Amino acid sequence: MTEAISRGFRKHGFAGVGVDALAKGAGVTSGAFYAHFGSKIGAFEVALGVGLDEVISGIPYYQREFGAGWLKAFVDYYMGKAHREDLECGCAMASLTPELVRADSAMQTVFEEKMNVIVDIVARGLQAEDHAAARARAWAMLGVLIGGLNLARAMRSQAAIDELVSAIATAAIAAAGPSCIVNDLAL
């Protein structure tokens, strides 16, 4: 049920979907929804966690499968057409972050904690003089990708999208710097 709720929020945003539609999408009644989540805000917090946990498990997949080439493979996937066009199953960093601007401090804290985990995972796969420098590059790369994905999703002209995607992919890889093989993928 939580995965279906997460997909509903990613596709429609917090304000764009009601409890009845979320419950229906999850195949439960509104009563079951409230019994499980307590409120729409409670469901959003769970959905956010589910979405960010997908990123937390997804990046190590790229690091394992592609070795030192993981960064390019990840950027190609992240800015790729399938990911761009699939709001429902796409990255929660891009689709749910705008919702957090208006969220309460508790939810922003959850987001910040999970984003720090994501940044650490990315940083472990980057060549840098120290962990702080790798984290700075990871933040820069993620910022470029998240913003770039949202820009690409907002455009309709294929020529503009292609130009943007190429520029964002190049900028994200440049911001990250050289990648490396990650020997310890344990969190």
Side-chain angles (χ1 to χ4, degrees):
M1 173 168 45
T2 56
E3 289 83 9
I5 299 298
S6 183
R7 288 191 306 270
F9 279 122
R10 284 187 247 183
K11 183 175 182 180
H12 302 288
F14 185 83
V17 66
V19 168
D20 290 341
L22 289 168
K24 183 178 180 182
V28 299
T29 65
S30 296
F33 174 95
Y34 282 112
H36 188 77
F37 297 111
S39 67
K40 183 177 173 184
I41 291 172
F44 183 79
E45 188 169 348
V46 170
L48 176 65
V50 166
L52 294 176
D53 286 344
E54 288 173 5
V55 178
I56 289 168
S57 64
I59 293 171
Y61 164 80
Y62 282 88
Q63 292 171 333
R64 266 190 318 275
E65 294 300 312
F66 297 95
W70 77 268
L71 181 61
K72 181 175 180 343
F74 178 72
V75 169
D76 288 347
Y77 157 76
Y78 199 86
M79 293 306 297
K81 183 177 181 176
H83 187 242
R84 284 193 325 264
E85 293 181 355
D86 191 356
L87 284 175
E88 191 171 326
C89 294
C91 179
M93 291 185 302
S95 60
L96 298 180
T97 297
E99 306 287 345
L100 289 157
V101 173
R102 291 173 286 286
D104 66 19
S105 63
M107 199 174 308
Q108 289 173 339
T109 298
V110 168
F111 176 74
E112 184 176 330
E113 288 169 357
K114 289 196 180 272
M115 285 303 299
N116 273 300
V117 171
I118 292 166
V119 166
D120 279 335
I121 292 168
V122 170
R124 286 195 321 238
L126 302 178
Q127 293 180 28
E129 50 278 5
D130 57 36
H131 188 64
R135 279 182 56 87
R137 290 181 186 166
W139 278 120
M141 180 203 78
L142 290 169
V144 169
L145 287 176
I146 293 165
L149 183 60
N150 281 328
L151 286 170
R153 286 176 169 171
M155 294 183 174
R156 289 296 135 226
S157 159
Q158 193 58 54
I161 292 169
D162 291 346
E163 179 183 14
L164 171 71
V165 165
S166 176
I168 292 297
T170 299
I173 290 170
S179 59
C180 62
I181 294 174
V182 180
N183 293 320
D184 178 18
L185 289 169
L187 289 177

